[in-house]
Amino acid sequence: MSARAHDPAGPPATAEPRPQVHEVGSRSGGEHPVTDPRSFRSFLATPRPVGDGTDPTVMVVDTPEARVRHPSDLVGIVLCALGVALVMFMSVYAHGTTAGVAEDVQGFSDLLARILFIPVAVLEGLVTLAIPTAVLIELGIRKLGRQVVESIAAAALGMILGIAVTFSVVTFGSDDLIQGLSVRIRGEWHLSIPGYVAAISGLLTAAGPRTRRRTVAWSWNLLFIALGVVLITAQVSLPGAIITLLLGRIAGNTVRWVSGVRSERAYGPHLVDGVRRAGYSPTALVRVRDVSQPAELAEAAEDPITEVNADGEITAEVHVGVVRVAGSDEDSALTADARITGDHLSGALGEGVREPAEAPSDPAAIALTRSGDNRVYAMFTEDGARRDVVVLDGDRQVVGFLTRLWRSLRLRGIEGRAAISLKAVAERTALLAYAARAAGVRTPRLLGVAEADDSMILVQEHAVGAVSLRDLPDDEVTDAVLTEAWHQIQLAHDAGLSHRALTSDVMLVSRGEPGGASTHPAGTGPGTGSATVDLSPRNGPDDSEVKVWLTGWEQGDIASSELSRRMDLTQMVALLALRVGAERAVASAVNVLPNEDIAAIGPLLQSIALPVSTREEMRANKALFKDLRAALVERLPETDVEPQRITRFGARTIITLTLTIVAVTVVVTTMNFQQITEAVSQANPWWAVISFALGILTWFGAALTFVAFSPVKLPMIRATLTQMAGSFVALAAPAGIGPAALNLRMLTKRGVSAPMAVATVALVQVSQFVITILLLVVLSMTTRSGGLISLPSTTVLLAITGVALAVIATLLVPAVRRWVLAKIRPTVQQVWPRLSEMLSQPGRLALGFGGNIVMTLGYVLAFDAALAAFGQELALVDVAVIYLVGNAAGAAVPTPGGLGTIEIALTAGLTAAGIPPAIATSATILFRVATYWARIPIGWGAMRYLQRKGDL
């Protein structure tokens, strides 16, 4: 052992300092930590038992995780909950079919029930007693007391869920749902959600996988057979049986997620055995941790040194704790400092090696841990070479699979992943590593692969002296580094490879000869070979010896698509721009890449094309995207930098779809169809036609405003057709968004610049708002609702109160005032130049306002005509307020065309104004049919015509 000493707690020792260690869990049988300063030296001096002599004793520095939360349990909870909802929906939707089949086979089922009376009774007894008893006995024999408790808790939770669902269905469920989950026994319907089956399902789920528990495997088989028999004999409904099984799975997975499950990862002897089967005989395995983080450093200090002999047995274990190098006041750990490693692992680092060249957790190894959700170990062998061991754990692959699946579904041109199993993921990682090396890319060589427990072990060379781009000092990010980075990615692309996850942790920079751990030289076997070449930086950066490594190829593609390679280029330029700025990053790309590759970067400069870590950094520097586009245009003026649509859908699409489904469900489930049918049959069809005609008039009014405010001359017929097409776009766009987008599109097609087109469309929308407020005031005065003779209606009073509260909040509450100003100021700044220009043309301004009046009055009168069709009448100002509030609700909630929200708001407004609910619903539906649904086919025709003419 080296004479250098460490003080784990206090100031540096002055005379004969010795490291303080705590011996726990060793074979000495002591129950309490031992604080004798000589214990670690005694540990090293004690003779060790050896195995058959073929493998050396291994020092493992790591803390095994006894219990982990498996992401697949959380996924199972979500999927089973969705399954319960789907089965309930199908039991209602397909109730007629299932009821007919049940009646057809009722006689046969009764006969089977009498014949199979004894087998059914026996199966019930087995399910009731044998299954839980057998499973719990096996867990007890295996000394898994905690899992016994968890299984019992899961069974209890399953029973509670079964009872809760039964109560909820009986209390809140519709008749169709109750009957769909019921069976007919002796002429009567009985709800069949057997809670005890949910309890057994929960117990078996919590007991562990059927592949590792024999009793669990045959218990599941027995449960399925029993359910099949009771289904055939019509003692339980199929939906009820499925729901109970899913409830049990929810209960079991919930207990597993909350409590955690026994880790099946490869640690200690299993890890050593896996590395040996990968072809190497390690003498030390030290866990790499990101010691730059205080929490990780504290965790590293808790890692014990475990000794594993050649037979795979743990012969001793000691804790070193937090240590300090003599003369230093900073806390450190064994994995964080090469000198501490040399003192504590002396003799396990290789023949003649007293101290490693770098700490086990050196910058290159730390970058490897940060680039993927995997464990990383520094491996030392008898020849003194240092290699890296990457461990892929099965319980972590669920998250990776779901992430890859989501990204492939969301992004265009990105193929999905078939690798679901852990072994398939490891094989793909190995394939990409070999392919990258074969293409000439500088990446650590993969040396061996093995499987151990629920882990896959990959042994690879270590880039000694390499530093990740994240940790590289600014003065060392030279032009040579940038150029070499582009050369490396170009080599991969030339071979058809794409990386798809270029981050600051997968790009390593070193100076000197290429190095890393040795492989198996000719004539030697595993565990032998030449020493590692040191790539440590010398005094000052020497650009003539710059080496750039690209690691982390597990997300990559072989025979990749053009889009994947273009995304690599985009990720690289964004990554470099974060360190050196947009101009230098683009300049370095121009020096290496052809012009067509440079031009392909611009359209993909968007957040979705970047890895998560780069995306977060770009959000902190929001102007960088703009700077990169400007730099690209400066280098290649003809380059198109307009963002290309590379996503199939986004978060807004999902939210819109969800809200639409919820809105439609609420509307449909709250309607009294019998009353609506009666009301519609009594409606006046002529008023319905008038409502539709007034809705058509709104197209003309909107077109009039658009033509008046347009900076270029527009044919009135084309402008009207554009408003018609907006009715078709409203089928997929939120209320008010579709027509505005088409207006913007027509202006740009007519040669109007983008800023002017946006200002014009914004002016149209602002003028609509102003005219709406003025119309309410005018209607209030002309319909004698002003309040001089009598109080205005409740509807008007509520509207006035709401406006007053909004004004008061804006004036008196600073937070509200700031929010309102933040919302209004951009619109005013955008509209004012165009508005000031329009003020000099009062004729066109009046024409635009006139068009808005026609459009707004058209909708209000159409709504009033829908009311008149059912013999109802309200003051016109009340009708206007109800319509405008409903329209505002539709614009606030981003469902297509305001679907659901407008219907709910209009119906609620009419009901509050004194209209019977059934009539209010019928009038609202008639109005929406006249002004939304019936106009969609016309809008589709107008859209097709304008597209053929090139106006859209």
Side-chain angles (χ1 to χ4, degrees):
M1 172 178 285
S2 171
R4 188 181 295 107
H6 313 281
D7 179 10
T14 56
E16 285 297 317
R18 296 176 183 273
Q20 179 176 341
V21 299
H22 304 279
E23 182 173 284
V24 295
S26 69
R27 296 183 180 274
S28 62
E31 295 181 357
H32 303 286
V34 179
T35 57
D36 181 6
R38 296 168 296 176
S39 58
F40 186 74
R41 294 181 184 275
S42 301
F43 163 72
L44 291 178
T46 303
R48 304 295 172 207
V50 296
D52 55 10
T54 59
D55 291 301
T57 299
V58 184
M59 300 287 192
V60 180
V61 182
D62 190 15
T63 301
E65 293 190 42
R67 304 189 71 83
V68 295
R69 283 188 171 90
H70 207 305
S72 62
D73 294 330
L74 187 58
V75 174
I77 294 172
V78 175
L79 293 180
C80 289
L82 293 176
V84 170
L86 179 62
V87 171
M88 287 187 174
F89 174 79
M90 291 302 297
S91 66
V92 175
Y93 178 77
H95 171 68
T97 302
T98 55
V101 173
E103 291 180 1
D104 292 340
V105 302
Q106 183 65 44
F108 180 67
S109 298
D110 291 342
L111 177 62
L112 280 178
R114 289 193 294 269
I115 295 175
L116 300 177
F117 173 75
I118 295 179
V120 169
V122 172
L123 283 174
E124 287 181 352
L126 289 175
V127 171
T128 304
L129 298 175
I131 287 180
T133 302
V135 171
L136 294 177
I137 287 175
E138 181 182 0
L139 294 178
I141 293 175
R142 293 174 178 266
K143 298 181 180 180
L144 302 175
R146 178 167 177 168
Q147 203 159 355
V148 170
V149 176
E150 292 171 353
S151 300
I152 295 174
L157 181 58
M159 179 71 77
I160 293 172
L161 288 178
I163 295 173
V165 169
T166 302
F167 175 79
S168 300
V169 170
V170 172
T171 306
F172 306 107
S174 64
D175 294 339
D176 289 339
L177 176 59
I178 294 175
Q179 194 167 355
L181 299 177
S182 302
V183 291
R184 194 169 184 177
I185 301 176
R186 290 187 288 274
E188 296 182 359
W189 289 97
H190 295 273
L191 184 64
S192 60
I193 303 180
Y196 193 75
V197 174
I200 296 300
S201 176
L203 182 144
L204 295 179
T205 302
R210 58 190 302 160
T211 55
R212 294 179 180 270
R213 306 277 188 272
R214 182 174 300 177
T215 56
V216 172
W218 63 254
S219 294
W220 276 117
N221 296 335
L222 186 60
L223 180 60
F224 290 145
I225 293 173
L227 284 176
V229 171
V230 295
L231 282 172
I232 293 174
T233 56
Q235 297 183 55
V236 66
S237 65
L238 178 60
I242 297 175
I243 287 174
T244 51
L245 286 175
L246 293 176
L247 291 176
R249 296 289 294 179
I250 291 174
N253 285 326
T254 300
V255 171
R256 286 168 57 91
W257 174 257
V258 172
S259 177
V261 296
R262 292 180 67 252
S263 174
E264 296 178 353
R265 302 174 179 177
Y267 285 104
H270 300 283
L271 176 63
V272 172
D273 180 63
V275 173
R276 286 169 176 168
R277 284 188 284 108
Y280 286 85
S281 297
T283 54
L285 289 167
V286 183
R287 178 75 174 269
V288 174
R289 299 189 184 276
D290 186 2
V291 291
S292 61
Q293 304 296 325
E296 285 280 326
L297 180 61
E299 191 172 355
E302 295 297 323
D303 289 340
I305 303 177
T306 304
E307 188 178 79
V308 180
N309 66 11
D311 292 332
E313 298 174 343
I314 297 178
T315 56
E317 182 176 295
V318 296
H319 280 265
V320 179
V322 178
V323 292
R324 293 175 183 170
V325 178
S328 173
D329 293 332
E330 294 184 0
D331 293 341
S332 188
L334 185 152
T335 187
D337 193 289
R339 293 168 294 178
I340 302 174
T341 307
D343 278 349
H344 289 77
L345 298 182
S346 178
L349 301 176
E351 186 176 352
V353 179
R354 296 179 57 85
E355 182 179 295
E358 294 180 305
S361 294
D362 66 342
I366 291 175
L368 188 59
T369 64
R370 291 190 303 223
S371 64
D373 191 16
N374 305 313
R375 288 182 285 145
V376 179
Y377 295 84
M379 181 181 75
F380 301 93
T381 53
E382 290 180 331
D383 60 0
R386 186 261 176 87
R387 300 170 179 87
D388 290 330
V389 175
V390 180
V391 182
L392 312 180
D393 295 314
D395 58 88
R396 302 303 307 165
Q397 298 309 308
V398 175
V399 176
F401 169 73
L402 293 177
T403 301
R404 291 191 297 269
L405 179 62
W406 168 253
R407 192 169 176 82
S408 63
L409 289 176
R410 189 181 180 192
L411 294 181
R412 301 175 185 271
I414 303 297
E415 61 273 16
R417 289 287 186 273
I420 299 178
S421 68
L422 177 63
K423 190 172 183 179
V425 172
E427 289 173 347
R428 182 177 182 82
T429 301
L431 177 62
L432 265 298
Y434 288 137
R437 291 284 300 188
V441 179
R442 188 175 291 106
T443 190
R445 182 182 290 107
L446 183 63
L447 307 175
V449 182
E451 185 176 10
D453 287 349
D454 192 28
S455 300
M456 291 295 298
I457 297 172
L458 288 75
V459 180
Q460 63 183 44
E461 66 178 354
H462 176 68
V464 181
V467 179
S468 68
L469 182 64
R470 176 192 294 194
D471 301 323
L472 194 66
D474 291 339
D475 60 346
E476 294 190 22
V477 187
T478 61
D479 290 341
V481 171
L482 306 183
T483 301
E484 182 64 14
W486 287 112
H487 279 306
Q488 291 299 311
I489 198 65
Q490 193 175 37
L491 285 173
H493 288 180
D494 290 343
L497 303 178
S498 66
H499 192 285
R500 288 182 52 183
L502 291 170
T503 67
S504 56
D505 288 318
V506 303
M507 179 176 165
L508 308 180
V509 180
S510 63
R511 287 178 169 82
E513 294 298 324
S518 60
T519 58
H520 301 174
T524 63
T528 64
S530 59
T532 304
V533 178
D534 188 2
L535 297 179
S536 301
R538 300 168 187 175
N539 294 330
D542 186 353
D543 286 347
S544 64
E545 298 181 351
V546 165
K547 307 295 180 185
V548 173
W549 301 64
L550 292 182
T551 65
W553 287 89
E554 56 270 14
Q555 299 289 337
D557 283 327
I558 293 177
S560 59
S561 64
E562 180 185 356
L563 179 59
S564 294
R565 296 192 292 273
R566 289 173 58 198
M567 289 178 67
D568 275 357
L569 300 179
T570 304
Q571 293 175 8
M572 180 65 81
V573 75
L575 185 64
L576 298 180
L578 286 168
R579 292 303 311 270
V580 301
E583 292 186 4
R584 279 188 64 192
V586 172
S588 66
V590 170
N591 291 337
V592 177
L593 303 178
N595 287 344
E596 54 268 22
D597 285 349
I598 300 297
I601 294 175
L604 296 185
L605 280 173
Q606 42 192 306
S607 295
I608 189 61
L610 305 178
V612 175
S613 59
T614 308
R615 195 182 311 162
E616 292 174 351
E617 293 183 66
M618 293 292 285
R619 286 173 182 166
N621 190 356
K622 297 181 180 179
L624 195 54
F625 273 131
K626 181 179 178 181
D627 295 341
L628 281 170
R629 294 188 182 100
L632 285 171
V633 172
E634 183 180 355
R635 293 281 178 171
L636 294 175
E638 70 280 3
T639 300
D640 181 12
V641 294
E642 284 296 316
Q644 174 185 346
R645 182 175 175 82
I646 60 176
T647 57
R648 294 186 178 96
F649 56 86
R652 185 182 180 90
T653 306
I654 296 175
I655 294 173
T656 299
L657 180 61
T658 303
L659 291 175
T660 302
I661 294 173
V662 171
V664 171
T665 303
V666 170
V667 170
V668 171
T669 55
T670 55
M671 288 181 179
N672 188 325
F673 289 100
Q674 183 177 358
Q675 292 183 5
I676 293 173
T677 303
E678 294 176 357
V680 170
S681 64
Q682 299 172 3
N684 188 328
W686 291 109
W687 281 113
V689 173
I690 293 174
S691 180
F692 178 75
L694 289 169
I696 295 295
L697 185 63
T698 62
W699 285 337
F700 176 76
L704 197 62
T705 302
F706 185 35
V707 170
F709 291 160
S710 172
V712 296
K713 186 176 181 179
L714 294 177
M716 186 64 186
I717 183 63
R718 294 294 175 87
T720 304
L721 288 173
T722 302
Q723 310 314 307
M724 292 181 179
S727 299
F728 173 69
V729 177
L731 190 62
I737 301 299
L742 292 183
N743 289 344
L744 185 65
R745 181 68 173 170
M746 170 164 275
L747 290 176
T748 55
K749 280 286 188 178
R750 295 269 172 172
V752 180
S753 64
M756 177 61 74
V758 170
T760 301
V761 173
L763 180 60
V764 170
Q765 293 179 313
V766 170
S767 67
Q768 290 174 359
F769 174 77
V770 173
I771 291 300
T772 298
I773 299 299
L774 292 176
L775 271 177
L776 283 176
V777 175
V778 172
L779 288 173
S780 178
M781 292 186 297
T782 57
T783 56
R784 299 174 66 97
S785 298
L788 292 177
I789 301 175
S790 62
L791 283 175
S793 66
T794 303
T795 305
V796 174
L797 286 176
L798 289 175
I800 293 173
T801 302
V803 173
L805 290 175
V807 171
I808 292 172
T810 302
L811 294 177
L812 299 182
V813 182
V816 176
R817 185 167 59 252
R818 287 193 297 270
W819 180 82
V820 172
L821 291 177
K823 292 293 183 182
I824 292 178
R825 187 179 291 111
T827 303
V828 173
Q829 293 174 346
Q830 192 178 58
V831 169
W832 178 249
R834 183 62 183 149
L835 178 59
S836 60
E837 183 179 346
M838 291 299 300
L839 290 174
S840 63
Q841 306 176 53
R844 295 182 63 183
L845 190 64
L847 187 64
F849 285 165
N852 282 325
I853 293 173
V854 171
M855 184 185 68
T856 304
L857 275 180
Y859 279 119
V860 172
L861 293 175
F863 190 35
D864 192 49
L867 267 177
F870 296 94
Q872 302 295 319
E873 184 178 355
L874 287 175
L876 192 58
V877 66
D878 292 340
V879 175
V881 170
I882 293 171
Y883 162 72
L884 293 172
V885 170
N887 195 55
V893 181
T895 58
L899 187 63
T901 53
I902 291 181
E903 284 82 355
I904 293 173
L906 293 181
T907 302
L910 290 176
T911 303
I915 304 297
I919 301 298
T921 304
S922 301
T924 299
I925 292 176
L926 176 59
F927 171 70
R928 291 290 282 166
V929 168
T931 59
Y932 180 70
W933 294 106
R935 306 200 310 181
I936 290 174
I938 302 174
W940 177 81
M943 186 83 166
R944 296 283 294 174
Y945 176 81
L946 292 173
Q947 286 177 336
R948 287 197 302 268
K949 294 298 182 180
D951 288 320
L952 293 179

